Amino acid sequence: GVPKGTDILGYLATLDDSEGQPLQDKLNEIETGLLDRVEPAPGLIQLIETLNRRGSRMGILTRNTRDIALKTIDTLGIGGYFQKECILGRDDTPPKPDPEGLIRLSVLWETAPVEMVMVGDYLFDLQTGRNAGAATIHVDRTRIFPWPELTDIGVGTLKELMDMI
């Protein structure tokens, strides 16, 4: 029932509880159902392991719920690399592209957003990085990179990003 081309979370936020809650429940059901299809992107494990060895602080900012994010990273085998307080979902902070999640991580890590890098595969990820003042890396399998004004570095895969660092 969400109008085509409309931000789902933005649309749900405009509805009153009697209308919005059933749709929110349906969204949660869909996201939970997708968990059995989760597969690591090429280079994900190696990238996470390398960043961890280097002592990089890593967080997850997702438009999903934190519960879905935790289940996803456990399914991918990377759950042990993230502190729980560094995983922020749509119920923890305003959803991307709002920069609050990145700003919260910067406070937690005692660093400035300008010293952070936002890695993502969609417009909202890049907007979030820009809105917070962080550098952005766009992962785009198609290598089209449709938002060059928001992209500091573009890569086709996480393996390619891994090779860069």
Side-chain angles (χ1 to χ4, degrees), residues 5-6 15-16 19 21 25 29 34 42 57 67 69 71 75-76 94 111 141 146-147:
T6 303
L15 304 175
D16 62 38
E19 226 182 339
Q21 191 57 54
D25 293 343
E29 179 185 318
L34 293 173
R57 290 170 282 193
D67 184 55
K71 289 175 182 173
T75 299
L76 294 172
T111 193
R141 293 179 301 135
W147 308 289

Side-chain angles (χ1 to χ4, degrees), residues 11-66:
Y11 176 76
L12 293 178
T14 67
L15 304 175
D16 62 38
D17 285 345
S18 66
E19 226 182 339
Q21 191 57 54
L23 294 177
Q24 184 64 55
D25 293 343
K26 180 66 175 172
L27 179 59
N28 292 342
E29 179 185 318
I30 291 168
E31 291 172 346
T32 299
L34 293 173
L35 281 171
D36 62 355
R37 294 198 223 166
V38 171
E39 292 183 22
L44 173 72
I45 306 298
Q46 298 86 348
L47 178 63
I48 296 296
E49 289 174 347
T50 298
L51 292 172
N52 182 65
R53 274 194 309 275
R54 290 181 170 200
S56 298
R57 290 170 282 193
M58 298 179 285
I60 295 174
L61 181 59
T62 179
R63 288 171 57 92
N64 288 337
T65 64
R66 178 189 290 189

Side-chain angles (χ1 to χ4, degrees), residues 55-138:
S56 298
R57 290 170 282 193
M58 298 179 285
I60 295 174
L61 181 59
T62 179
R63 288 171 57 92
N64 288 337
T65 64
R66 178 189 290 189
D67 184 55
I68 294 291
L70 290 168
K71 289 175 182 173
T72 300
I73 63 175
D74 283 344
T75 299
L76 294 172
I78 58 171
Y81 294 102
F82 295 89
Q83 296 175 318
K84 190 171 183 178
E85 64 270 15
C86 297
I87 301 169
L88 302 175
R90 65 175 171 246
D91 298 326
D92 303 309
T93 188
K96 298 180 284 186
D98 189 294
E100 184 177 320
L102 280 185
I103 293 167
R104 284 181 55 187
L105 289 172
S106 76
V107 170
L108 180 68
W109 295 336
E110 299 178 347
T111 193
V114 71
E115 297 176 6
M116 299 169 69
V117 177
M118 177 70 170
V119 179
D121 64 357
Y122 188 65
L123 174 63
F124 293 150
D125 303 309
L126 302 171
Q127 289 173 326
T128 301
R130 275 293 182 267
N131 291 340
T136 60
I137 298 176
H138 185 187

